[in-house]
């Protein structure tokens, strides 16, 4: 039998990637159990200490919709701000922006969906209405010289609509860029995307948004996130969101599990010889620590393997 081969991209890899740690926000927003604010503060402190200077800390959203993050102001007031750090918060509307502003973030994040059905479930309005709702937020961010990041949810599939046309992703990404977003995450909210689709989506979106403003945000529900990151790298993307210990999920995407684990991404990048600026040992400690706080095992494969190896070495030395 003759084999046929195809490529998922050019194969050229960057020397450095930029990772935004979203564990404290995307990771914890979905937790049902109450998490004490001091635990969240310690999580952020540990992450910053591990070099996770681009840190998405919390959301200024309705506490009725996302009760877990109702302590946003308290958390922000307690965060250290090491040199070079960029603390960001989600702000879905002006009410959220005004509350966020008082807490002095470096960056605010707006988020629109690539499917109408998901937009209604997540932020209770249509895509076009959401863009109009973000317009004053974007203008206020620019006026206050805050960096503006944006996210396109369900870019690879929607729990309500199913398949999402690439054109919808391109359209929403373009509208967010027109609002002046400095960076746009293309998000696989329910983790269904696969490598070829990733290349197709980034190829299409990069025709309207420069590649250096794009970021890959992958949930790992179907175990595709690391493969999708490799495909993204080959497509020229060098910004990624990830979550310590693979924490996360979205309250409006039932069954969606966590984001790709930061430890796994850093392990991958080390293997590829790509600099992340992150300390993998400290990340592993942090991932194990927060998982213990939540009373479950970390979802990071690399984190668990490295922790087990360390324990073995300690037992052998004792
Ligand atoms: P709404 O009900 O349509 O808006 O919510 P509303 O203006 O009618 O307000 C309802 C109530 O919420 C009012 O209080 C408002 O004051 C209050 P009441 O009068 O009933 O007492 N309210 C707020 N309170 C605090 N902060 C605010 C705020 N806004 C309104 N900012 C809204 C609209 C967007 C606020 C709501 O739908 C909401 O908060 N949704 C939560 C969305 C969310 O956080 N989703 C998860 C994050 S997105 C995500 O995870 C995806 C991402 O990771 C990428 C990916 O993976 O896809 C980024
Ligand atoms: Mg997410």
């Amino acid at each position: 039998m003759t084999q046929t081969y195809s490529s998922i991209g050019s194969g050229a890899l960057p020397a450095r990637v930029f990772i935004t740690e979203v564990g404290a926000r995307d990771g914890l927003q979905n937790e049902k159990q109450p998490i004490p604010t001091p635990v969240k503060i310690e999580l952020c402190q540990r992450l910053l200490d591990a070099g996770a200077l681009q840190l998405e800390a919390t959301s200024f959203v309705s506490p009725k919709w996302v009760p877990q993050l109702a302590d946003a102001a308290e958390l922000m007031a307690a965060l250290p701000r090491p040199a070079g750090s960029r603390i960001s918060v989600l702000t879905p509307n002006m009410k959220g922006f005004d509350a966020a502003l008082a807490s002095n973030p470096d960056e605010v994040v707006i988020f629109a969906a690539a499917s109408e059905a998901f937009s209604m479930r997540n932020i209770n309005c249509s895509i076009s209405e959401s863009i109009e709702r973000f317009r004053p937020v974007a203008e206020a961010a620019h006026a206050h010289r805050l960096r503006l990041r944006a996210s396109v949810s369900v870019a690879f599939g929607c729990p309500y609509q199913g398949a999402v046309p690439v054109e919808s992703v391109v359209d929403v990404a373009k509208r967010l860029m027109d609002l002046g977003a400095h960076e746009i995450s293309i998000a696989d909210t329910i983790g269904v995307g696969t490598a070829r689709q990733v290349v197709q989506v980034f190829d299409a979106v990069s025709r309207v948004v420069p590649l250096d403003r794009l970021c890959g945000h992958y949930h790992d529900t179907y175990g595709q996130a690391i493969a999708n990151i490799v495909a993204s790298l080959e497509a020229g993307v060098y910004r990624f969101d990830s979550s310590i210990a693979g924490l996360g999920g979205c309250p409006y995407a039932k069954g969606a599990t966590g984001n790709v684990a930061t430890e796994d991404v850093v392990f991958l990048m080390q293997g590829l010889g790509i600099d992340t600026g992150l300390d993998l040992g400290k990340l592993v400690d942090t991932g194990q620590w927060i998982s213990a706080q939540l009373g479950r095992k970390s979802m990071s494969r690399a984190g668990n393997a490295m922790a087990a190896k360390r324990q073995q070495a300690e037992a052998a030395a004792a």
Side-chain angles (χ1 to χ4, degrees):
M1 201 181 91
T2 331
Q3 276 277 32
T4 54
Y5 293 90
S6 62
S7 158
I8 56 166
S10 69
L13 297 175
R16 163 91 212 231
V17 292
F18 297 88
I19 295 177
T20 297
E21 169 60 51
V22 298
R25 193 283 303 171
D26 204 354
L28 298 186
Q29 71 181 7
N30 206 32
E31 287 293 328
K32 299 286 172 288
Q33 56 181 314
I35 302 168
T37 309
V39 171
K40 297 178 185 174
I41 295 169
E42 184 170 346
L43 174 63
C44 291
Q45 284 169 336
R46 284 171 174 259
L47 289 166
L48 289 165
D49 183 52
L53 296 178
Q54 290 153 48
L55 185 76
E56 206 171 273
T58 186
S59 300
F60 285 85
V61 294
S62 164
K64 285 183 194 151
W65 286 64
V66 186
Q68 184 61 259
L69 302 185
D71 58 358
E74 200 187 328
L75 172 83
M76 287 294 284
L79 285 193
R81 302 296 182 95
S85 62
R86 191 165 81 207
I87 307 292
S88 54
V89 296
L90 261 68
T91 53
N93 53 18
M94 278 310 289
K95 182 164 181 155
F97 181 87
D98 290 339
L101 193 60
S103 75
N104 195 26
D106 303 297
E107 178 178 74
V108 294
V109 184
I110 55 179
F111 45 102
S115 103
E116 290 292 351
F118 193 80
S119 187
M120 286 311 298
R121 296 292 212 296
N122 195 21
I123 46 178
N124 204 20
C125 62
S126 70
I127 297 173
S128 289
E129 282 167 351
S130 74
I131 299 290
E132 287 317 306
R133 197 183 275 181
F134 296 138
R135 194 175 300 283
V137 177
E139 283 166 4
H142 298 317
H144 289 276
R145 300 189 184 284
L146 297 181
R147 197 169 185 272
L148 179 68
R149 209 147 62 84
S151 183
V152 183
S153 291
V154 295
F156 298 87
C158 167
Y160 311 108
Q161 173 185 306
V164 173
V166 176
E167 302 75 58
S168 307
V169 183
V170 172
D171 177 53
V172 174
K174 168 88 171 62
R175 293 206 237 174
L176 292 169
M177 192 186 69
D178 291 344
L179 290 182
H182 297 98
E183 185 177 328
I184 300 177
S185 283
I186 306 298
D188 189 3
T189 314
I190 56 170
V192 289
T194 51
R196 188 178 301 278
Q197 193 185 0
V198 163
V199 172
Q200 285 163 351
V201 168
F202 276 107
D203 181 53
V205 176
S206 62
R207 288 165 203 261
V208 296
V209 180
L211 260 179
D212 63 1
R213 288 209 217 171
L214 292 173
C215 170
H217 177 114
Y218 301 113
H219 286 252
D220 200 28
T221 316
Y222 287 79
Q224 301 300 303
I226 288 289
N228 288 342
I229 287 178
V230 174
S232 309
L233 287 171
E234 291 195 337
V237 177
Y238 55 82
R239 299 180 193 279
F240 298 98
D241 295 341
S242 66
S243 176
I244 191 74
L247 296 176
C250 177
Y252 307 102
K254 290 270 169 287
T257 59
N259 293 76
V260 64
T262 307
E263 302 92 309
D264 296 1
V265 179
V266 174
F267 186 82
L268 168 74
M269 297 303 169
Q270 286 190 351
L272 293 172
I274 298 174
D275 182 24
T276 60
L278 293 164
D279 181 325
L280 182 54
K282 287 184 178 176
L283 289 175
V284 170
D285 289 343
T286 304
Q288 297 293 309
W289 172 81
I290 187 64
S291 301
Q293 296 294 317
L294 299 174
R296 57 171 188 261
K297 202 170 156 65
S298 165
M299 295 296 283
S300 167
R301 306 282 286 267
N304 289 339
M306 287 180 68
K309 199 169 159 189
R310 211 185 274 170
Q311 265 173 8
Q312 250 173 12
E314 280 165 9

